[in-house]
């Protein structure tokens, strides 16, 4: 059995988990035994070293110590009596204060010895602690929760750490011994990795720091090795498929690009040539177009699509939101005028219109189509789809990429992302894709001036924005409402919206949020885009893509509630035209240190790479790059900044696939059964 098999092993069948525990665990998102075994501690307490009360005071850190109970006392607090246990170790006396723990004096008996884990401080003229853990001390008996490294998990409030430890221990004992290793034995021994069983035991309940380190190393290896095997297979599949020659002509496309009201940047030109080269190559294109917000990725994508049209094929562009799809559609139509048939398909396309579009798509009358997920429906059929483009690729899963690709015959694929990914990381996570980067922004851009606004400066900011409006500029106000959330939050958004209208009279403002009907959204967006309403109040829905060059002000309320990448994306909505733009990050006076760090980074730099790197460090790359959605194994342990380690895993996978490309050797069956079986094989095996 492989670890991955435990995904189909539900919690229901386990008799050592109570129904109450099952309910709590399921509510927290654990569905299978796999989910539990791969849920790692977020930190550990080293309770191995035995220290003293004195050391705890000195280091200002919690310690494990062995104490004897001397005396039972009590204190009064809020009219209640609480036990106070006087203890002593080799160094000094101290008090354990048990707020709301009336039974403490029964459990800590005078004269007996106990293990204690606590941080002691000097308070009210005595050395004490009110947060501590204990266990009876017995000569030559290994304690349960002391004398070892103690794992701490993030858990739902209703479930105690102790309960979780018990459950996990049972799971590890019953499943780990049957686990087969998916990594070939020679790699495990060659790199001196821990075995599967050792690694999973040690990461949960480490024997010592060194073994914990090695457990993490082994699991990190699994993660990266798994991704690399998948990627190398994909690469092989792509390069062994030969597509029919599809492209000869580009004059019309070049002419359309030449009519643009601006000159392309060198990076845009280079990306276009790379794409053209891929399109003409005998193998399908799999290219990632990376470029910061506002770098001008869209025209590059249009170039690829127009080439398909010029050579009598079809191209589709998939956008994550309706407003973005609409904007792309408009821009594309504006660019081709009436020389190419372009269609827009979203979930709000009327039935009659949809029918018409589908018919003309099937017959090949429509060359280019822009849309949302609606494009993925099975009844959307093309006559000759050769180019597919995904905007904001991290919003889409592998399944969706496959669904669209299947509508063509090994189409050329371009995926776009505004998250600047450091090169080594990109090679690790997107090694199946060739990469084009637009680094240079259009040269007419001025850097955005970013200010962190505390309540005392709010008024001044308002005055300033009014002046911008008077000069004919436009402003975004972003209010943090979680899209899926309650009426209450929407109420406060509407309240905010009314306030903005009040403040900036006579300038009109429109509202945009995810709960509005598509039609209302379009109306709002159109009024803002056309400038009729110079103010747009919205939620995060504008994060992706909206392009209004005349907008020069971005106000982000409660900015500390957003992640760095989101803030960067939001700021990217301004600074797109020739006027100086401003971004105001509004927070309370007091915010968390991490929040403060985010504000400072935003004020200091506009460099997407630097911001992404800081964001990776705060939140972990998995969450940002949407690794969860990519279908690849999640990265829970691997450090994507450890270049040598990444190179080692990559090289191992490359060697294996090159001398056993079909993975038929017995020693590689672990890879086939234990890794590949849980990946979207359809995708990996197709060119
Ligand atoms: P993103 O990379 O964020 O998708 P867009 O493609 O939406 O960026 O481009 C942002 C804006 O810059 C658009 O208004 C676009 O027309 C404009 N633009 C693109 N390329 C250039 C260029 N070379 N010079 C000037 N403006 C450009
Ligand atoms: Mg874009």
């Amino acid at each position: 059995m492989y670890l991955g098999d435990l995904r189909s092993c539900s919690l229901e069948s386990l008799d050592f988990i109570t129904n109450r525990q099952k309910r709590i665990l399921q509510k927290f998102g654990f569905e299978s035994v796999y989910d539990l075994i791969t849920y790692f501690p977020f930190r550990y307490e080293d309770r191995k070293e035995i220290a003293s009360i004195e050391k705890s005071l000195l280091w200002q850190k919690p310690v494990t110590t062995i104490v004897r109970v001397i005396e039972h006392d009590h204190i009064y607090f809020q009219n209640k009596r609480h036990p106070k246990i006087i203890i002593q170790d080799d160094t000094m006396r101290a008090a354990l204060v048990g707020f709301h723990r009336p039974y403490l004096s029964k459990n800590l008996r005078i004269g007996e010895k106990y293990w204690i884990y606590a941080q002691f401080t000097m308070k009210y003229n005595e050395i004490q602690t009110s947060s501590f853990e204990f266990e009876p001390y017995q000569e030559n008996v290994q304690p349960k929760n002391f004398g070892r490294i103690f794992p701490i998990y993030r858990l739902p409030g209703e479930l105690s750490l102790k309960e979780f430890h018990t459950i996990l221990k049972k799971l590890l004992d019953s499943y780990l011994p049957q686990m087969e290793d998916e990594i070939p034995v020679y790699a495990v021994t060659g790199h001196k990795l821990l075995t599967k069983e050792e690694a999973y035991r040690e990461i949960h309940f480490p024997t010592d720091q060194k073994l914990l380190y090695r457990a993490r190393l082994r699991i990190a290896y699994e993660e990266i090795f798994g991704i690399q095997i998948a990627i190398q297979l994909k690469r092989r599949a792509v390069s062994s498929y030969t597509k029919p020659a599809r492209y000869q002509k580009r004059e019309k496309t070049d002419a359309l690009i030449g009519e643009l009201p601006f000159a392309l940047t060198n990076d845009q030109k280079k990306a276009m040539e790379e794409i053209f080269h891929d399109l003409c190559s005998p193998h399908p294109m799999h290219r990632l177009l990376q470029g910061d917000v506002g770098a001008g990725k869209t025209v590059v994508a249009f170039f690829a699509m127009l080439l398909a049209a010029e050579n009598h094929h079809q191209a589709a562009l998939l956008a994550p939101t309706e407003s973005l799809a609409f904007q792309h559609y408009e821009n594309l139509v504006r660019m081709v005028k009436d020389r190419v048939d372009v269609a827009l398909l979203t979930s709000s396309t009327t039935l009659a219109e949809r029918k018409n579009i589908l018919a003309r798509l099937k017959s090949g009358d429509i060359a280019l189509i822009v849309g949302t997920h609606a494009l993925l429906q099975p009844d959307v059929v093309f006559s000759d789809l050769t180019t597919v483009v995904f905007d904001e690729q991290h919003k889409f899963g592998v399944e969706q990429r496959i669904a669209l690709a299947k509508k063509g015959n090994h189409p050329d694929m371009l995926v776009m992302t505004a998250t600047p990914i450091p090169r080594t990381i990109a090679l690790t996570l997107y090694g199946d894709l060739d990469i084009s980067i637009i680094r240079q922004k259009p040269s007419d851009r001025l850097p955005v001036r970013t200010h962190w606004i505390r309540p005392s400066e709010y008024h001044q900011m308002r005055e300033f924005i009014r002046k911008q409006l008077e000069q004919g500029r436009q402003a975004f106000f972003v209010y943090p409402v979680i899209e899926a959330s309650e009426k209450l939050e929407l109420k406060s958004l509407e309240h905010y919206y009314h306030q903005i209208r009040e403040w900036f009279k006579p300038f009109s403002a429109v509202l945009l949020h995810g709960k509005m009907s598509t039609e209302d959204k379009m109306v709002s967006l159109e009024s803002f885009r056309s400038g009729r309403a110079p103010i747009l109040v919205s939620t995060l829905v504008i994060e992706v893509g909206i392009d209004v060059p005349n907008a020069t002000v971005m106000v982000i309320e409660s900015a500390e509630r957003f992640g760095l990448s989101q803030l960067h994306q939001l700021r990217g909505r301004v600074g797109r035209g020739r006027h100086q733009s401003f971004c105001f990050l509004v927070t309370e006076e007091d915010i968390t240190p991490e929040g403060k760090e985010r504000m400072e980074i935003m004020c200091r730099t506009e460099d997407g790479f630097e911001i992404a790197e800081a964001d990776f460090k705060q939140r972990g790359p998995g969450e940002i790059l949407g690794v969860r959605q990519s279908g690849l194994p999640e990265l829970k342990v691997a450090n994507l900044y450890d270049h040598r380690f990444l190179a080692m895993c990559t090289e191992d996978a490359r060697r294996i696939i090159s001398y056993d490309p079909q993975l038929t050797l017995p020693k590689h069956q672990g890879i086939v059964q234990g890794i590949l079986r849980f990946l979207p094989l359809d995708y990996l095996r197709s060119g």
Side-chain angles (χ1 to χ4, degrees):
M1 191 182 357
Y2 291 96
L3 190 63
D5 290 306
L6 298 181
R7 287 173 215 256
S8 52
C9 190
S10 86
L11 302 184
E12 288 306 330
S13 57
L14 304 172
D15 51 12
F16 53 82
I17 305 185
T18 67
N19 285 336
R20 181 189 70 91
Q21 289 171 334
K22 279 175 195 162
R23 250 195 337 272
I24 299 172
L25 289 170
Q26 280 160 352
K27 215 173 102 200
F28 196 58
F30 293 114
E31 280 164 14
S32 65
V33 173
Y34 177 88
D35 294 340
L36 285 170
I37 290 188
T38 57
Y39 189 65
F40 303 136
F42 81 99
R43 67 182 180 88
Y44 300 84
E45 283 173 3
D46 191 342
R47 302 183 177 183
K48 210 175 163 60
E49 276 323 303
I50 297 176
S52 60
I53 299 174
E54 187 182 20
K55 286 276 153 58
S56 174
L57 288 171
L58 200 68
W59 298 334
Q60 298 182 19
K61 272 191 356 203
V63 295
T64 302
T65 175
I66 301 164
V67 303
R68 190 182 292 282
V69 174
I70 305 293
E71 194 186 325
H72 284 173
D73 196 354
H74 56 262
I75 60 163
Y76 282 94
F77 180 69
Q78 291 180 342
N79 293 330
K80 268 208 178 117
R81 195 179 139 122
H82 304 275
K84 176 162 119 179
I85 314 288
I86 310 297
I87 52 157
Q88 180 169 18
D89 73 356
D90 295 338
T91 56
M92 55 180 64
R93 273 179 174 235
L96 307 176
V97 181
F99 290 115
H100 309 291
R101 291 159 91 173
Y103 297 103
L104 211 57
S105 18
K106 288 217 181 73
N107 297 335
L108 286 162
R109 291 205 293 267
I110 296 176
E112 303 280 319
K113 281 172 108 178
Y114 295 91
W115 295 91
I116 300 277
Y117 182 78
Q119 174 165 354
F120 293 90
T121 47
M122 191 71 188
K123 234 184 191 171
Y124 310 114
N125 243 343
E126 70 179 357
I127 297 157
Q128 58 156 258
T129 178
S130 57
S131 148
F132 53 90
E133 283 177 54
F134 64 91
E135 188 177 323
Y137 173 86
Q138 279 175 287
E139 206 73 53
N140 300 325
V141 175
Q142 177 67 27
K144 257 173 72 184
N145 296 323
F146 289 87
R148 59 185 185 82
I149 297 172
F150 192 75
I152 314 281
Y153 300 82
R154 286 207 173 85
L155 294 174
E158 310 96 295
L159 193 72
S160 76
L161 198 53
K162 213 162 123 191
E163 283 178 280
F164 192 71
H165 282 178
T166 311
I167 292 171
L168 255 181
K169 275 197 188 122
K170 287 246 172 65
L171 285 178
L172 296 179
D173 285 345
S174 42
Y175 290 99
L176 284 188
Q178 319 165 40
M179 232 23 82
E180 283 177 84
D181 202 334
E182 52 282 75
I183 311 285
V185 184
Y186 62 87
V188 175
T189 48
H191 295 306
K192 298 202 173 60
L193 296 176
L194 292 186
T195 64
K196 186 96 188 162
E197 179 171 359
E198 288 165 335
Y200 280 79
R201 210 176 274 288
E202 290 291 334
I203 198 165
H204 286 292
F205 299 104
T207 314
D208 58 35
Q209 295 280 6
K210 207 168 149 197
L211 280 166
L212 171 59
Y213 171 79
R214 293 185 58 200
R216 293 181 62 88
L217 197 71
R218 147 85 210 207
I219 295 170
Y221 184 89
E222 283 177 14
E223 291 175 348
I224 305 291
F225 179 79
I227 288 181
Q228 283 304 316
I229 285 284
I231 283 174
Q232 313 268 358
L233 275 178
K234 176 75 188 170
R235 277 213 96 103
R236 264 197 95 81
V238 170
S239 62
S240 56
Y241 174 78
T242 306
K243 69 184 182 192
R246 292 167 177 161
Y247 296 89
Q248 285 92 37
K249 291 177 291 192
R250 61 179 286 177
E251 293 75 27
K252 285 183 187 160
T253 301
D254 284 336
L256 282 172
I257 296 283
E259 285 173 22
L260 286 170
F262 47 75
L264 297 176
T265 63
N266 286 334
D267 286 347
Q268 284 173 319
K269 283 186 204 155
K270 180 154 175 262
M272 287 180 186
E273 291 318 310
E274 285 165 345
I275 288 170
F276 186 69
H277 178 265
D278 285 354
L279 294 178
C280 297
S281 104
H283 310 298
M285 168 167 80
H286 284 259
R287 185 167 287 277
L288 174 70
L289 178 59
Q290 220 187 308
D292 211 344
V293 259
K297 296 183 287 296
T298 318
V299 279
V300 177
F302 286 176
F303 170 81
M305 296 174 75
L306 290 168
L307 279 169
E310 179 171 355
N311 289 281
H312 308 292
H313 308 297
Q314 290 171 304
L317 168 60
L318 195 59
T321 64
E322 281 205 61
S323 46
L324 199 51
F326 182 68
Q327 180 180 292
H328 285 326
Y329 169 73
E330 278 205 314
N331 285 336
L332 192 53
V333 169
R334 193 175 314 135
M335 191 167 164
V336 301
K337 316 241 163 43
D338 44 16
R339 284 171 274 185
V340 184
D341 263 323
V342 185
L344 173 70
L345 188 72
T346 70
S347 52
S348 51
T349 307
T350 63
L351 229 56
E353 212 180 331
R354 183 168 191 276
K355 211 172 142 198
N356 177 297
I357 290 175
L358 294 196
R360 289 168 54 226
L361 210 51
K362 198 169 172 182
S363 69
D365 285 351
I366 294 175
L368 306 177
I369 190 159
V370 178
T372 56
H373 294 80
L375 275 181
L376 303 175
Q377 305 272 314
D379 58 347
V380 178
V381 180
F382 291 81
S383 93
D384 179 25
L385 176 67
T386 61
T387 303
V388 295
V389 182
F390 293 84
D391 195 8
E392 309 289 342
Q393 63 88 24
H394 60 282
K395 305 266 174 186
F396 297 98
V398 174
E399 309 299 326
Q400 289 160 332
R401 276 203 226 162
I402 298 171
L404 189 57
K406 277 195 166 158
K407 294 182 187 292
N409 177 22
H410 298 269
D412 294 296
M413 185 165 77
L414 180 68
V415 302
M416 305 198 277
T417 179
T419 309
I421 310 160
R423 192 179 152 72
T424 46
I425 295 182
L427 284 177
T428 304
L429 297 182
Y430 297 107
D432 55 334
L433 302 173
D434 295 307
I435 301 179
S436 295
I437 300 181
I438 307 183
R439 235 169 228 288
Q440 183 189 38
K441 290 207 179 165
S443 57
D444 56 350
R445 301 288 163 77
L446 295 164
V448 178
R449 294 209 188 123
T450 304
H451 298 278
W452 178 9
I453 303 292
R454 261 59 63 95
S456 59
E457 296 141 328
Y458 200 85
H459 190 79
Q460 217 182 328
M461 173 188 86
R462 265 168 51 193
E463 293 301 302
F464 179 86
I465 295 171
R466 172 171 281 282
K467 292 213 183 77
Q468 288 283 309
L469 296 171
E470 281 162 359
Q471 287 166 28
R473 303 286 82 76
Q474 292 173 255
F476 292 100
F477 288 81
V478 178
Y479 192 80
V481 168
I482 300 105
E483 283 303 322
S485 82
E486 326 293 304
K487 287 199 186 102
L488 209 71
E489 292 222 30
L490 274 184
K491 265 238 147 55
S492 74
L493 171 68
E494 269 155 29
H495 179 78
Y496 176 70
Y497 169 59
H498 287 299
Q499 193 156 57
I500 295 283
R501 290 221 310 209
E502 208 46 46
W503 283 341
F504 295 103
K505 266 180 183 167
F507 296 102
S508 51
V510 286
L511 183 64
L512 184 70
H513 64 75
K515 286 274 163 71
M516 286 164 52
S517 73
T518 309
E519 224 183 304
D520 290 347
K521 275 192 224 166
M522 291 300 163
V523 171
S524 286
L525 218 55
E526 208 26 60
S527 327
F528 183 66
R529 212 196 308 272
S530 67
R532 275 197 308 281
I535 301 173
L536 180 72
V537 174
S538 94
T539 58
L540 253 192
V541 290
I542 64 159
E543 183 192 354
V544 283
I546 293 183
D547 185 38
V548 180
N550 188 42
T552 56
V553 174
M554 166 63 65
V555 178
I556 306 173
E557 297 283 347
S558 304
E560 76 279 5
R561 287 175 60 179
F562 296 102
L564 274 172
S565 297
Q566 284 174 326
L567 292 172
H568 181 63
Q569 285 262 347
L570 285 171
R571 177 168 59 186
R573 299 299 118 225
V574 295
R576 293 176 161 241
R578 52 201 169 81
H579 302 284
Q580 177 63 53
S581 286
F582 304 87
C583 174
F584 298 107
L585 308 169
V586 180
T587 75
E588 288 301 314
E589 201 60 56
D590 249 344
I591 56 172
T592 62
E594 293 84 44
K596 192 159 172 264
E597 195 185 326
R598 288 199 288 278
M599 297 309 121
E600 285 164 358
I601 291 170
M602 287 297 293
C603 291
R604 186 177 70 227
T605 180
E606 255 199 284
D607 179 347
F609 278 88
E610 194 179 335
I611 290 172
E613 188 158 336
D615 203 18
F616 285 166
K617 284 181 181 157
Q618 276 201 356
R619 289 197 299 157
E623 201 171 322
I624 296 155
L625 302 176
V627 174
R628 197 188 283 269
Q629 284 206 44
S630 69
L632 294 172
E634 253 183 275
L635 298 171
K636 293 180 172 171
V637 177
N639 167 11
L640 290 176
Y641 285 92
D642 187 343
H643 299 177
R644 269 182 41 203
F645 179 74
L646 298 183
M648 176 181 103
C649 306
T650 306
E651 179 55 22
D652 284 5
R654 198 191 57 74
R655 257 209 315 260
I656 289 172
I657 299 297
S658 68
Y659 86 72
D660 184 15
Q662 302 301 321
L663 293 171
T664 45
L665 295 177
K667 61 184 171 187
H668 295 148
Q669 288 326 289
I671 298 175
V672 178
Q673 296 300 319
I675 300 177
L676 297 182
R677 198 150 60 78
F678 305 104
L679 292 177
L681 270 193
D682 236 17
Y683 171 71
L684 296 176
R685 292 256 157 87
S686 70

PDB file of all heavy atoms in Angstrom, residues 55 84 147 447 451 474 489 519 593 678:
ATOM      1  N   LYS A  55      16.732  29.057  34.597  1.00  0.00           N
ATOM      2  CA  LYS A  55      17.062  29.211  33.176  1.00  0.00           C
ATOM      3  C   LYS A  55      15.887  29.836  32.420  1.00  0.00           C
ATOM      4  O   LYS A  55      16.062  30.644  31.523  1.00  0.00           O
ATOM      5  CB  LYS A  55      17.418  27.855  32.564  1.00  0.00           C
ATOM      6  CG  LYS A  55      18.783  27.355  32.973  1.00  0.00           C
ATOM      7  CD  LYS A  55      19.858  27.944  32.083  1.00  0.00           C
ATOM      8  CE  LYS A  55      21.231  28.060  32.730  1.00  0.00           C
ATOM      9  NZ  LYS A  55      21.778  26.794  33.220  1.00  0.00           N
ATOM     10  N   LYS A  84      -3.145  28.040  44.127  1.00  0.00           N
ATOM     11  CA  LYS A  84      -1.771  28.447  43.833  1.00  0.00           C
ATOM     12  C   LYS A  84      -0.867  27.390  44.453  1.00  0.00           C
ATOM     13  O   LYS A  84      -0.919  27.146  45.657  1.00  0.00           O
ATOM     14  CB  LYS A  84      -1.519  29.821  44.446  1.00  0.00           C
ATOM     15  CG  LYS A  84      -0.089  30.304  44.289  1.00  0.00           C
ATOM     16  CD  LYS A  84       0.001  31.800  44.500  1.00  0.00           C
ATOM     17  CE  LYS A  84       0.904  32.114  45.674  1.00  0.00           C
ATOM     18  NZ  LYS A  84       1.036  33.561  45.911  1.00  0.00           N
ATOM     19  N   GLY A 147      10.346  15.177  28.077  1.00  0.00           N
ATOM     20  CA  GLY A 147      11.591  14.523  27.721  1.00  0.00           C
ATOM     21  C   GLY A 147      11.662  14.226  26.236  1.00  0.00           C
ATOM     22  O   GLY A 147      12.408  13.375  25.787  1.00  0.00           O
ATOM     23  N   PRO A 447       6.418  55.558 -11.902  1.00  0.00           N
ATOM     24  CA  PRO A 447       6.189  54.690 -10.752  1.00  0.00           C
ATOM     25  C   PRO A 447       5.007  55.205  -9.914  1.00  0.00           C
ATOM     26  O   PRO A 447       4.772  56.412  -9.838  1.00  0.00           O
ATOM     27  CB  PRO A 447       7.486  54.785  -9.950  1.00  0.00           C
ATOM     28  CG  PRO A 447       8.412  55.646 -10.705  1.00  0.00           C
ATOM     29  CD  PRO A 447       7.732  56.168 -11.926  1.00  0.00           C
ATOM     30  N   HIS A 451       1.507  55.382  -0.275  1.00  0.00           N
ATOM     31  CA  HIS A 451       1.543  55.941   1.079  1.00  0.00           C
ATOM     32  C   HIS A 451       0.735  55.077   2.024  1.00  0.00           C
ATOM     33  O   HIS A 451      -0.321  54.573   1.660  1.00  0.00           O
ATOM     34  CB  HIS A 451       0.951  57.357   1.088  1.00  0.00           C
ATOM     35  CG  HIS A 451       1.722  58.307   0.247  1.00  0.00           C
ATOM     36  ND1 HIS A 451       2.865  58.935   0.674  1.00  0.00           N
ATOM     37  CD2 HIS A 451       1.510  58.709  -1.025  1.00  0.00           C
ATOM     38  CE1 HIS A 451       3.326  59.694  -0.298  1.00  0.00           C
ATOM     39  NE2 HIS A 451       2.531  59.585  -1.341  1.00  0.00           N
ATOM     40  N   GLN A 474      -9.480  59.480 -12.205  1.00  0.00           N
ATOM     41  CA  GLN A 474     -10.454  58.562 -11.601  1.00  0.00           C
ATOM     42  C   GLN A 474      -9.836  57.813 -10.426  1.00  0.00           C
ATOM     43  O   GLN A 474      -8.610  57.702 -10.339  1.00  0.00           O
ATOM     44  CB  GLN A 474     -10.931  57.571 -12.654  1.00  0.00           C
ATOM     45  CG  GLN A 474     -11.751  58.243 -13.730  1.00  0.00           C
ATOM     46  CD  GLN A 474     -12.071  57.299 -14.865  1.00  0.00           C
ATOM     47  OE1 GLN A 474     -11.493  57.393 -15.926  1.00  0.00           O
ATOM     48  NE2 GLN A 474     -13.000  56.367 -14.620  1.00  0.00           N
ATOM     49  N   GLU A 489     -21.556  42.079   6.132  1.00  0.00           N
ATOM     50  CA  GLU A 489     -20.398  42.696   5.515  1.00  0.00           C
ATOM     51  C   GLU A 489     -20.799  43.512   4.298  1.00  0.00           C
ATOM     52  O   GLU A 489     -20.245  44.564   4.029  1.00  0.00           O
ATOM     53  CB  GLU A 489     -19.381  41.629   5.120  1.00  0.00           C
ATOM     54  CG  GLU A 489     -18.752  40.969   6.316  1.00  0.00           C
ATOM     55  CD  GLU A 489     -17.254  40.757   6.128  1.00  0.00           C
ATOM     56  OE1 GLU A 489     -16.630  41.565   5.418  1.00  0.00           O
ATOM     57  OE2 GLU A 489     -16.737  39.791   6.691  1.00  0.00           O
ATOM     58  N   GLU A 519     -25.308  41.688 -14.991  1.00  0.00           N
ATOM     59  CA  GLU A 519     -25.704  42.880 -15.720  1.00  0.00           C
ATOM     60  C   GLU A 519     -25.348  44.143 -14.944  1.00  0.00           C
ATOM     61  O   GLU A 519     -24.767  45.079 -15.490  1.00  0.00           O
ATOM     62  CB  GLU A 519     -27.205  42.819 -15.963  1.00  0.00           C
ATOM     63  CG  GLU A 519     -27.559  43.217 -17.365  1.00  0.00           C
ATOM     64  CD  GLU A 519     -29.059  43.210 -17.530  1.00  0.00           C
ATOM     65  OE1 GLU A 519     -29.664  42.154 -17.255  1.00  0.00           O
ATOM     66  OE2 GLU A 519     -29.596  44.259 -17.895  1.00  0.00           O
ATOM     67  N   PRO A 593       2.724  42.966  13.590  1.00  0.00           N
ATOM     68  CA  PRO A 593       4.055  43.156  13.001  1.00  0.00           C
ATOM     69  C   PRO A 593       4.113  42.686  11.543  1.00  0.00           C
ATOM     70  O   PRO A 593       4.735  43.341  10.701  1.00  0.00           O
ATOM     71  CB  PRO A 593       4.966  42.296  13.875  1.00  0.00           C
ATOM     72  CG  PRO A 593       4.248  42.129  15.158  1.00  0.00           C
ATOM     73  CD  PRO A 593       2.792  42.225  14.857  1.00  0.00           C
ATOM     74  N   PHE A 678      -1.672   8.933  -8.663  1.00  0.00           N
ATOM     75  CA  PHE A 678      -2.497   9.958  -8.018  1.00  0.00           C
ATOM     76  C   PHE A 678      -2.421  11.298  -8.727  1.00  0.00           C
ATOM     77  O   PHE A 678      -2.910  12.305  -8.251  1.00  0.00           O
ATOM     78  CB  PHE A 678      -2.085  10.080  -6.548  1.00  0.00           C
ATOM     79  CG  PHE A 678      -2.151   8.759  -5.846  1.00  0.00           C
ATOM     80  CD1 PHE A 678      -1.006   8.046  -5.565  1.00  0.00           C
ATOM     81  CD2 PHE A 678      -3.387   8.211  -5.526  1.00  0.00           C
ATOM     82  CE1 PHE A 678      -1.075   6.801  -4.950  1.00  0.00           C
ATOM     83  CE2 PHE A 678      -3.464   6.964  -4.917  1.00  0.00           C
ATOM     84  CZ  PHE A 678      -2.306   6.259  -4.624  1.00  0.00           C
TER      85      PHE A 678
END
